[in-house]
Amino acid sequence: MSSDTSGEGGLQKCEDCIAPAEAFSVIANETRLSILEALWQAPERPVSFSELRKEVGMRDSAQFNYHLQQLTDHFVVHTDAGYDFRQAGKKVVSAILAGSFNEHPRLDPIDLNETCADCGENLRATYEDEMLAVNCPDCGKTHGRYPFPPGGLKDRTDCEIMDAFNQRVRHLHCLAADGVCHECNGKMATTIVRDDDDRLGLDVRVDHRCEQCRHRLHSAVGLKLLDQSAVVTFYSDHGIDLCTKPYWSLSWCVSDEHTTILSDDPWRVRVAIPLDDEELRVTLDDELNVVETERTRSAATDAKSAA
């Protein structure tokens, strides 16, 4: 991987970058990791040399200084007031706390109260390889499978884990729709495609793909609407806080039962959101911009009235 960051947008060649292998070799040392952890736990930063050495518990000042200097400039910054993190140093500690490097916990399946959008049976959450998935054990339909670092399981009940997972998935898709990759902060491209490989059991799906690290997210079209103001207001008018509603409990978020393709050149897709005796119809363009909303009586209510 090159350290040349020249390119579009006025980026200049990196003069003081180090190769990834060298960067990992710098932190592959117990004392240096202890220094980073001591910085993290400090009540205030910057931290003086003497205070940092005291927290790490190393008596040999010269040896401690050697390890600290190995971290300086790339993981730690030295100012007149003491030592503080550079962003890379924070990333190292946060990854350790997340448990991604050294923890491989097991989690018993969690039976959920919410039901499958396809068959109506109760859903189940499972955890494997740092991925949390919500599936129907009866018909096999997936309601989402996303990365969930081991640290997210600590000191949480099953209910709290699922609440955190719900918010994390919302955040991931919100970032992706805004063009930001949650993995590397690279540019995320969004497209609507026909789901020819049936990976989600949909006729049409949304693909988010990072142009830098190639990370991908896939979902039903409706998932984009969880934080859309008209949709949030629609639920609020019916006494429901959409912000805390599990996304997997909303059929318009995990299936295309309520999705209609109006055009595919260019793309125009309408999502009909039924709630009580009303229906909110939201039309999106090929970039998932909302171009029209219509609030009307639900089809079921109209049919009942006609009868």
Side-chain angles (χ1 to χ4, degrees):
M1 184 177 296
S2 172
S3 60
D4 186 346
T5 60
S6 59
E8 296 182 1
L11 293 179
Q12 302 298 316
K13 184 174 181 178
C14 181
E15 300 293 346
D16 60 349
C17 293
I18 60 176
E22 183 180 350
F24 279 108
S25 70
V26 168
I27 58 174
N29 177 280
E30 184 175 355
T31 298
R32 295 169 200 170
L33 288 176
S34 296
I35 292 172
L36 293 177
E37 291 178 8
L39 268 179
W40 185 275
Q41 295 171 3
E44 292 184 5
R45 292 192 295 267
V47 182
S48 69
F49 178 92
S50 58
E51 185 63 27
L52 197 55
R53 182 166 66 90
K54 177 182 177 182
E55 290 300 317
V56 172
M58 181 173 285
R59 294 186 176 183
D60 189 326
S61 178
Q63 186 179 12
F64 178 78
N65 182 62
Y66 168 77
H67 288 295
L68 183 56
Q69 293 310 308
Q70 298 304 303
L71 294 170
T72 303
D73 294 335
H74 297 292
F75 298 98
V76 171
V77 61
H78 183 207
T79 68
D80 292 340
Y83 291 87
D84 203 344
F85 278 118
R86 292 196 70 176
Q87 196 62 29
K90 287 183 179 181
K91 287 288 187 180
V92 170
V93 179
S94 62
I96 293 172
L97 293 175
S100 298
F101 287 155
N102 60 334
E103 296 183 21
H104 306 284
R106 297 178 59 86
L107 180 68
D108 291 334
I110 301 173
D111 291 323
L112 305 176
N113 293 324
E114 294 78 29
T115 56
C116 175
D118 278 9
C119 71
E121 294 298 317
N122 282 78
L123 297 171
R124 177 177 295 162
T126 56
Y127 189 76
E128 185 177 2
D129 294 333
E130 297 189 26
M131 301 288 286
L132 203 157
V134 176
N135 296 310
C136 177
D138 191 66
C139 73
K141 177 178 174 56
T142 179
H143 289 58
R145 181 175 182 269
Y146 296 92
F148 196 73
L153 306 178
K154 292 180 179 178
D155 301 321
R156 282 190 170 127
T157 63
D158 288 351
C159 182
E160 290 171 337
I161 288 172
M162 296 313 299
D163 285 343
F165 178 66
N166 180 41
Q167 295 303 323
R168 176 173 172 79
V169 172
R170 289 166 172 262
H171 177 65
L172 296 182
H173 281 276
C174 184
L175 274 177
D178 287 340
V180 181
C181 175
H182 77 275
E183 292 285 346
C184 72
N185 288 326
K187 184 185 294 185
M188 208 84 169
T190 297
T191 55
I192 299 176
V193 299
R194 292 190 182 274
D195 194 21
D196 296 330
D197 60 3
D198 199 35
R199 69 179 66 186
L200 297 178
L202 304 170
D203 292 327
V204 61
R205 71 171 192 267
V206 173
D207 280 359
H208 301 289
R209 181 182 183 277
C210 178
E211 297 176 2
Q212 181 165 275
C213 73
R214 300 181 184 178
H215 176 70
R216 291 176 179 268
L217 284 176
H218 312 284
S219 74
V221 176
L223 198 60
K224 166 64 174 65
L225 300 176
L226 280 171
D227 63 349
Q228 209 279 329
S229 59
V231 180
V232 174
T233 299
F234 181 56
Y235 270 80
S236 179
D237 289 346
H238 287 262
I240 300 172
D241 182 5
L242 184 60
C243 297
T244 58
K245 190 85 171 166
Y247 80 85
W248 54 86
S249 70
L250 304 166
S251 60
W252 51 270
C253 277
V254 295
S255 76
D256 51 14
E257 175 189 356
H258 305 286
T259 301
T260 302
I261 300 173
L262 304 177
S263 167
D264 60 6
D265 188 20
W267 279 101
R268 287 291 185 275
V269 181
R270 183 177 65 211
V271 179
I273 303 173
L275 192 58
D276 298 334
D277 60 347
E278 282 194 289
E279 186 174 87
L280 180 66
R281 298 171 183 171
V282 184
T283 303
L284 304 98
D285 64 15
D286 55 353
E287 296 181 348
L288 294 185
N289 297 310
V290 174
V291 296
E292 183 182 356
T293 61
E294 179 188 10
R295 192 162 169 169
T296 184
R297 287 159 59 91
S298 70
T301 299
D302 287 341
K304 185 176 180 180
S305 298

